[in-house]
Amino acid sequence: GFTCAAASETEAERFQELAKVMKKKNVKLGEDQLSCLVKLVTLDGIPKDLDSYPKDLLLFLSPADYAVTGSCTQYFANVGEANLDVLQRESSQRKQLLLEALACLKIPGTQINEENAAILGHLVCDLGGEYIRSSGGNLLKQLSQCDSFLPDQEDAIRSVISSGNTTFGPPVTWSAFTLNELSGLIPVFDHSILQKIPKNALTLWLKNFAHDSPLSREQLGTIVEEFLPTRHKRADGCPPDKKITEMVLNDDLMPTYYPPEELRACLKNVSLENYLSQILTYPFSREQLAVLKGHLDETYPDGYPESLLPKLDTLLPLVTSADISKWKITSADTLAGLLQNEPPNEQASLIIKRYVGLGNALSSTALNAIGTKYVCLLDEAELNKIDSNSLKMVYLDPSACSQPTKNILYAKAKRAFSDQHAMPAYYKLIEPYLGGAPAKKMSKDNVNMKVSTLAKLRRDFLMSLTPSEVHGLLGVNLRDLLKWKNTSPIREWIRMQKQSELDELHIGLTGGTQEGYINIVTPKFEPPSSASLGAVAMALHLLPALLISFVMMSILS
């Protein structure tokens, strides 16, 4: 709930105390919150006790800022423990951090030793494939903590693992404990690596460690495929020793026991209703999941019971529009259960329309389920069904939606929060909806708006703002305009301002109109029809003569 608008009202010393408590309580802050935090903490200069503040704060400072606290090595050791994903992976800020870290540690080439890898921490996730190859296995421990990889990083990891020249040894010698240490890298392993890992090691790992690994159910499913025969035989029936009992349904290694055809044969006359949510957490392969869905289709030809819908989970990618048209989605909780699995937009839209089409209200529970991810899918009729008061209980950010959607939601949000207008929290509550708002009225409210929010305002409102009004809106974030000066629509707004008025902001912002000049906005004309081309040609032919006449009259007058 930390906001710049509220924080700017707090005395500097008191605010620094608040920031230190954030570290003790391990408060998770977003990029905008941290950017604001660092501005206010350093308002009177860089504190000498930066280690007392949240580590993520260092992502917005430099080694030079940290010099009063410690060395650049200490700085990057702390940055390596920070949540690097606060910054966009391709951002210049994040790239600069890595370059400065390599310079600080005096790493001239692409080979990094284990000591430096430990200092770099999460920064290792941004190293290119050439660093991974050159460093052998020195980076594997840190790489295992990364959330995702680029293609060249994945190729390099596979190359290093396949070589066997690491402290972990070749895959053929690995144990369940080895897999646990490298679990974050398993999604990168291809078939040639997985088939070399002893099956008993994979089984033990699945049984004892998989639940605590960062892998998704789909990623675990690729490991299960290693246990299944590559050629599927048509099952003549369920083997006597493979009957699906309660004990089997409670065994999370169930997927490793049944090839798809055998699973189909053994599921006959088995009710999954009481076990569905449980077994869908098991790492079934995609083919096995198709068998499970086929079994449900046969059991419930007129549509699944509503009680099963929230439990579909990993079966949702296999669901068709014809399936959805049979569903009885009568409660917002069912809608929430379906959407929490984050289906693709097309499927989510069908689910929402089915829910609304059955006469259900878009209550706060339903809106929370729809969330920012799907709010742009709502059409005008659905948006108008939203009760304004429901917005008090939800967080939606329609900034990526169409302008008509933003306009409707802003009007509803304004009504919803009208009783909070005099409170400091009002701006934070209304902020996500400002893409549909007239901004001039807020320029005197000390809102400390982010430039990213300013850029999402209605374009006609933004272009009508004066530099003074923009200053009033941005407050402590004013200097961030410099970072956005080459980004549309801020770039176009700057070009429309007088340079003398931009100079009064005192932040070195250039690109406005010089005195004595005017900005000419080139009008957009429809392409002329063939019928009008003759008239256009005649006008162009006469233009020189008309200009000469005009100049002569000016001279003689």
Side-chain angles (χ1 to χ4, degrees):
F2 165 72
T3 69
C4 250
S8 61
E9 303 290 329
T10 310
E11 293 178 7
E13 189 176 337
R14 184 71 175 152
F15 179 77
Q16 289 182 344
E17 288 177 26
L18 172 66
K20 290 175 182 178
V21 170
M22 287 180 181
K23 178 179 181 177
K24 291 177 183 175
K25 292 184 177 291
N26 196 27
V27 175
K28 301 297 181 188
L29 299 171
E31 181 177 1
D32 292 326
Q33 290 173 311
L34 286 163
S35 178
C36 167
L37 190 69
V38 77
K39 289 184 187 107
L40 295 172
V41 163
T42 60
L43 209 54
D44 297 324
I46 306 292
K48 295 181 180 179
D49 56 346
L50 280 175
D51 286 344
S52 302
Y53 294 89
K55 279 188 170 69
D56 295 353
L57 201 70
L58 298 179
L59 298 172
F60 298 84
L61 295 170
S62 68
D65 296 326
Y66 190 79
V68 292
T69 302
S71 65
C72 73
T73 303
Q74 287 174 276
Y75 168 78
F76 284 111
N78 283 321
V79 165
E81 294 176 3
N83 177 19
L84 201 60
D85 289 328
V86 163
L87 302 174
Q88 295 289 327
R89 182 167 189 147
E90 295 302 314
S91 68
S92 57
Q93 201 171 348
R94 186 158 159 172
K95 289 177 180 177
Q96 186 63 28
L97 276 173
L98 179 60
L99 291 174
E100 290 178 347
L102 296 174
C104 166
L105 298 175
K106 297 181 171 59
I107 302 172
T110 55
Q111 189 170 359
I112 297 173
N113 59 35
E114 286 188 19
E115 183 184 353
N116 284 337
I119 293 170
L120 288 171
H122 295 149
L123 284 168
V124 164
C125 300
D126 288 0
L127 291 170
E130 67 276 13
Y131 283 91
I132 297 170
R133 286 190 177 86
S134 301
S135 305
N138 294 340
L139 305 180
L140 293 181
K141 187 177 178 182
Q142 283 73 30
L143 287 169
S144 186
Q145 308 300 314
C146 304
D147 290 332
S148 62
F149 300 102
L150 299 174
D152 79 309
Q153 291 177 311
E154 292 183 349
D155 290 340
I157 290 168
R158 284 191 286 266
S159 175
V160 170
I161 292 289
S162 299
S163 73
N165 297 323
T166 72
T167 55
F168 300 101
V172 72
T173 66
W174 287 0
S175 67
F177 295 100
T178 311
L179 283 167
N180 192 44
E181 284 193 74
L182 297 175
S183 61
L185 299 179
I186 291 177
V188 177
F189 298 168
D190 56 16
H191 178 66
S192 66
I193 293 174
L194 287 171
Q195 69 177 352
K196 293 174 185 173
I197 302 171
K199 293 290 187 288
N200 64 330
L202 283 169
T203 304
L204 277 173
W205 180 79
L206 281 170
K207 189 171 186 65
N208 299 320
F209 299 110
H211 289 301
D212 298 322
S213 78
L215 275 65
S216 67
R217 196 222 55 80
E218 290 81 0
Q219 290 167 333
L220 291 171
T222 63
I223 298 174
V224 166
E225 288 176 358
E226 294 299 316
F227 291 88
L228 305 176
T230 52
R231 293 185 180 180
H232 304 316
K233 297 178 183 177
R234 179 168 290 278
D236 296 326
C238 183
D241 61 338
K242 291 286 190 77
K243 289 191 182 300
I244 297 178
T245 63
E246 185 176 352
M247 184 181 293
V248 172
L249 289 169
N250 283 314
D251 186 346
D252 52 9
L253 289 181
M254 178 187 173
T256 65
Y257 307 146
Y258 298 91
E261 289 302 322
E262 207 167 78
L263 180 63
R264 181 177 285 108
C266 294
L267 276 172
K268 287 181 179 176
N269 302 319
V270 174
S271 174
L272 297 179
E273 187 168 356
N274 296 327
Y275 294 94
L276 191 63
S277 57
Q278 180 178 329
I279 67 171
L280 287 181
T281 64
Y282 301 165
F284 286 105
S285 69
R286 188 172 176 84
E287 285 182 87
Q288 289 172 317
L289 288 172
V291 170
L292 290 174
K293 181 182 181 293
H295 178 73
L296 290 178
D297 291 344
E298 290 174 11
T299 308
Y300 307 107
D302 297 325
Y304 307 156
E306 184 168 14
S307 60
L308 281 188
L309 298 181
K311 302 173 184 176
L312 291 177
D313 194 12
T314 50
L315 292 183
L316 267 181
L318 304 176
V319 164
T320 66
S321 56
D323 293 328
I324 295 171
S325 68
K326 299 176 186 176
W327 291 352
K328 302 292 188 292
I329 311 174
T330 62
S331 83
D333 289 332
T334 302
L335 178 69
L338 285 164
L339 295 183
Q340 73 179 1
N341 297 303
E342 299 190 349
N345 284 352
E346 185 178 354
Q347 191 179 63
S349 182
L350 289 171
I351 292 170
I352 294 167
K353 287 186 185 303
R354 179 65 178 162
Y355 171 80
V356 175
L358 290 171
N360 299 298
L362 287 173
S363 61
S364 56
T365 303
L367 289 174
N368 267 321
I370 291 167
T372 296
K373 184 173 179 63
Y374 299 124
V375 68
C376 298
L377 302 180
L378 300 178
D379 59 30
E380 186 176 348
E382 290 161 347
L383 289 166
N384 284 324
K385 287 182 180 179
I386 296 174
D387 179 1
S388 295
N389 287 322
S390 296
L391 294 180
K392 289 183 177 181
M393 305 296 290
V394 302
Y395 176 84
L396 298 174
D397 182 355
S399 57
C401 300
S402 66
Q403 193 58 55
T405 295
K406 292 178 187 177
N407 295 348
I408 293 171
L409 285 175
Y410 170 70
K412 288 182 175 291
K414 188 179 177 184
R415 284 197 295 274
F417 301 118
S418 58
D419 59 338
Q420 301 277 329
H421 196 277
M423 306 293 289
Y426 174 74
Y427 170 70
K428 188 62 181 175
L429 294 169
I430 201 80
E431 182 183 22
Y433 306 97
L434 291 178
K440 282 184 180 288
K441 293 180 181 178
M442 290 183 291
S443 62
K444 297 177 182 178
D445 292 343
N446 191 30
V447 295
N448 293 305
M449 183 182 286
K450 299 172 292 193
V451 182
S452 57
T453 303
L454 181 74
K456 293 172 187 172
L457 295 179
R458 275 182 54 171
R459 193 179 178 93
D460 54 338
F461 289 151
L462 173 61
M463 295 305 162
S464 71
L465 294 173
T466 66
S468 174
E469 288 167 336
V470 166
H471 188 179
L473 287 170
L474 297 181
V476 297
N477 297 313
L478 180 65
R479 295 195 69 83
D480 289 348
L481 265 182
L482 294 170
K483 300 175 188 174
W484 286 71
K485 67 177 184 179
N486 295 318
T487 305
S488 182
I490 302 300
R491 177 181 60 230
E492 288 76 22
W493 175 82
I494 291 171
R495 289 175 181 169
M496 293 181 67
Q497 311 310 313
K498 292 180 180 179
Q499 184 59 48
S500 58
E501 292 183 11
L502 293 177
D503 291 341
E504 290 174 9
L505 298 177
H506 304 294
I507 59 171
L509 187 62
T510 58
T513 305
Q514 299 296 334
E515 299 300 326
Y517 293 85
I518 58 170
N519 269 329
I520 298 176
V521 179
T522 307
K524 293 182 179 179
F525 296 105
E526 291 295 320
S529 65
S530 56
S532 63
L533 286 176
V536 172
M538 179 62 73
L540 291 173
H541 178 71
L542 294 173
L543 187 58
L546 291 169
L547 287 172
I548 291 171
S549 300
F550 175 75
V551 171
M552 289 298 293
M553 288 177 67
S554 299
I555 294 170
L556 293 172
S557 61

